[in-house]
Amino acid sequence: MKRAGVLMLAAVPVAIAATAYGSSLTAHTEPRPARPSAATHPRTPEGLAAPAMKNLAQELVASAENSTLDWRSAYGYVQDIGDGQGYTAGIIGFCTGTHDLLVLVERYTAEHPGNGLARYLTALRKVDGTDSHQGLDPGFPAAWRAEAKVPAFQAAQDAERDRVYFDPAVDAAKRDGLGPLGQFIYYDAMVFHGPGTDGFYGIRERALRQARPPAQGGDEKAYLSVFLDIRRAAMRTMHPGIDTSRVDTAQRKFLDEGNLELRTPLVWKVYGETYRVP
């Protein structure tokens, strides 16, 4: 499992931290992409990878991961949320205990030697796979927040998110014949559970054994319903009592509405808080 960043006890601190750190970040300068409209939203080859749709996907993930729609405010987020995976940080919840944060810093340092996080590489390698802070405290959180003001590190987070989570999830969904909603459902599962047979790919394999995806002549809505059932059960098996509203009152809601194209406007709830995208 990648992370348990939506344990009910962790939801409030995550939101507070994202707000506190977000105001100090250097904002991206690219123009905000126009939102897809309900009137003009044909299924395109790009699917969720189209700029406006990808931005929407990030907003949906951020509502669950950081209790905000302003996903760019989370570049500097860093906190141990008590899930046994060390520090959780950045726009997609990279963790010191799950290898992805280490890889991010290694790749970033290879291109930008002498950055503010490079001095923690030895410690990050030692704590990888554990929840330990040894060698990271007390300076690592402050160093992360400081580096998150650097546009190059923001770009590095974007690139690693795409390489490890977004692109593989969307590619898998397209192979299964899924449209934008299905592509997002795969992406969010990849973010939360991580890849691997005990993560996203294991959930997908179980779903494919129980239902046929559109690429195999199956009904898209029926297949996604099975996938969400299995994914929800996996969340609760790992953490009994976990809040599963990112599935129940967000993705399941869109599916029940038949919104396979993930058309806006959207209204959903996570942890009891309502979010709207016009």
Side-chain angles (χ1 to χ4, degrees):
M1 180 173 178
K2 167 68 170 61
R3 60 171 299 197
V6 293
L7 290 173
M8 199 59 182
L9 293 176
V12 173
V14 168
I16 293 172
T19 301
Y21 302 152
S23 61
S24 65
L25 299 181
T26 301
H28 275 199
T29 57
E30 74 268 28
R32 189 179 184 86
R35 295 191 185 284
S37 68
T40 57
H41 195 306
R43 182 167 291 185
T44 64
E46 296 112 312
L48 205 67
M53 294 300 295
K54 188 173 183 179
N55 186 72
L56 175 60
Q58 294 309 126
E59 291 177 322
L60 289 164
V61 167
S63 71
E65 294 286 309
N66 300 100
S67 298
T68 181
L69 294 183
D70 183 11
W71 61 270
R72 291 181 178 86
S73 71
Y75 285 111
Y77 168 71
V78 55
Q79 183 180 4
D80 188 329
I81 60 176
D83 62 355
Q85 300 184 69
Y87 281 116
T88 295
I91 58 168
I92 211 65
F94 303 103
C95 297
T96 56
T98 59
H99 195 61
D100 56 349
L101 190 147
L102 170 61
V103 172
L104 166 64
V105 176
E106 285 180 333
R107 292 169 68 92
Y108 177 60
T109 300
E111 295 186 5
H112 304 277
N115 68 79
L117 295 172
R119 65 183 181 273
Y120 291 101
L121 275 173
T122 297
L124 288 170
R125 293 183 181 113
K126 288 181 178 179
V127 304
D128 190 25
T130 77
D131 62 356
S132 174
H133 292 189
Q134 186 174 0
L136 299 178
D137 289 341
F140 178 75
W144 181 280
R145 291 192 290 269
E147 200 66 27
K149 299 176 184 178
V150 179
F153 188 51
Q154 295 178 6
Q157 289 193 43
D158 290 347
E160 202 65 7
R161 171 203 62 203
D162 291 350
R163 186 183 73 86
V164 179
Y165 300 105
F166 186 84
D167 291 347
V170 171
D171 288 348
K174 288 181 177 179
R175 288 196 301 273
D176 291 340
L178 303 176
L181 176 60
Q183 291 166 30
F184 174 73
I185 286 172
Y186 272 24
Y187 175 44
D188 189 70
M190 183 78 83
V191 168
F192 186 90
H193 297 275
T197 55
D198 59 346
F200 164 75
Y201 288 109
I203 293 170
R204 175 175 175 250
E205 182 179 348
R206 292 194 294 276
L208 290 171
R209 287 200 297 264
Q210 295 185 31
R212 290 186 303 165
Q216 297 177 18
D219 179 79
E220 185 169 9
K221 188 173 180 180
Y223 170 75
L224 289 174
S225 182
V226 169
F227 183 92
L228 288 179
D229 286 344
I230 295 171
R231 191 250 167 117
R232 185 177 186 271
M235 293 172 70
R236 294 207 161 181
T237 297
M238 182 64 69
H239 292 281
I242 193 172
D243 185 307
T244 57
S245 57
R246 71 194 292 159
V247 171
D248 304 333
T249 53
Q251 297 167 45
R252 175 70 70 180
K253 177 178 182 292
F254 304 150
L255 184 62
D256 288 345
E257 293 168 348
N259 192 357
L260 296 174
E261 303 304 316
L262 205 58
R263 294 186 176 95
T264 56
L266 295 175
V267 180
W268 71 98
K269 289 185 178 181
V270 183
Y271 317 131
E273 184 173 353
T274 299
Y275 294 91
R276 292 179 174 84
V277 169

